[in-house]
Amino acid sequence: MTKHHFTSFTLDPIAPCHWRNSEPIPGTKLGFCETCGFSHVDPYPSAEFLSAYYSKYEMPTSQANLAETARFLSGNIAKGATVLDMGCGDGAFLKEMHALGFTDLIGFDQSPGLERAKQLGFGCFYNASVWDFLDEAEAKGGTDVNAVVMVNVLEHVPQPLELLTRLQRVLPADGVLCITVPNDFSPLQNAFLKAKGHAPWFVCLPDHVNYFTFSSLGTALGKTGFEVADQSALYPMELFLLQDLDYIADPSLGPIAHRRRVMFEDNMKTAGMADVLDHFYRTLAAGGYGRDIMLIAKKSQGQA
């Protein structure tokens, strides 16, 4: 078990307002862990607590986000690749991959949405946790899938370095790992917090127990035998906040901000300039900007 080391805590304790769909666990703090290289809660909720929580709760993800992640991944793998979605929910991400022409699709989850995924008419979906998958893959000596996908998974998992280390061991030498996570405590978020004196609204427990930036996620991957092969970002929604379209204070503004973001992307694609859109998002990623991080990782040289 990893021995965590914090020099200070950002939230000590984490206030009740940051707990969603659950009673607060007393004494839980949030800080930057020098051992892990990213921010996470201390202590982590127990496995039993999280298993009971997620057995009844589905995590919503914007379909626009899933579509962009699917486009990003598709540009990094062959058309006939086998794609495994860890924590597939109702199969919405694999639905986007299927629409792009991919047919060898596998997903697993433990949420209620899995039953809907099984009704999609394509792919193979089964009930398992990430740990179940790793146990089985290690017993078999590895997995032969070409791409493993974790869309909004890593921020939910206690001890993510252990997960990444074990995944690195079972991934084929030429396999890729595609990760999407929120970009939290980012420069634009910090600007809004300083300008408005707002509490960090993106801290939400028990859902998110880890908080990454582009830099700290890269550090975590480096610690576990991976290297970043490609990275991009999703639209920086904090731009709306910094223009006083404050959807945090007034949630009714949230759909307006979302529609504007989708309109921007749709208009770029309608103009036949998806390549410019991709360059724009990669440019944001290089500066550490964007609401979400999208990246492709491969085994580090010498680790394959």
Side-chain angles (χ1 to χ4, degrees), residues 104-131:
D104 197 355
L105 305 172
I106 307 167
F108 65 79
D109 206 298
Q110 292 183 301
S111 77
L114 183 65
E115 293 307 311
R116 299 197 299 278
K118 293 178 179 179
Q119 305 302 316
L120 288 174
F122 64 81
C124 174
F125 297 91
Y126 64 99
N127 190 302
S129 70
V130 293
W131 308 111

Side-chain angles (χ1 to χ4, degrees), residues 40-164:
H40 64 78
V41 302
D42 182 51
Y44 280 118
S46 69
E48 294 76 16
F49 176 92
L50 291 175
S51 178
Y53 176 73
Y54 285 119
S55 68
K56 302 175 183 177
Y57 176 64
E58 293 186 63
M59 297 171 287
T61 300
S62 163
Q63 198 66 34
N65 288 6
L66 298 176
E68 287 303 300
T69 301
R71 282 201 321 114
F72 176 65
L73 174 60
S74 69
N76 280 276
I77 57 176
K79 209 66 168 183
T82 301
V83 179
L84 170 68
D85 187 2
M86 302 175 67
C88 66
D90 63 2
F93 173 76
L94 291 181
K95 186 176 179 180
E96 295 291 342
M97 293 300 295
H98 190 258
L100 292 172
F102 291 84
T103 57
D104 197 355
L105 305 172
I106 307 167
F108 65 79
D109 206 298
Q110 292 183 301
S111 77
L114 183 65
E115 293 307 311
R116 299 197 299 278
K118 293 178 179 179
Q119 305 302 316
L120 288 174
F122 64 81
C124 174
F125 297 91
Y126 64 99
N127 190 302
S129 70
V130 293
W131 308 111
D132 294 333
F133 164 76
L134 290 168
D135 288 343
E136 182 179 346
E138 287 171 343
K140 291 179 178 178
T143 179
D144 58 0
V145 300
N146 304 112
V148 172
V149 181
M150 290 193 290
V151 177
N152 293 345
V153 170
L154 209 58
E155 67 269 30
H156 299 269
V157 181
Q159 311 297 349
L161 292 185
E162 178 185 350
L163 187 160
L164 289 170

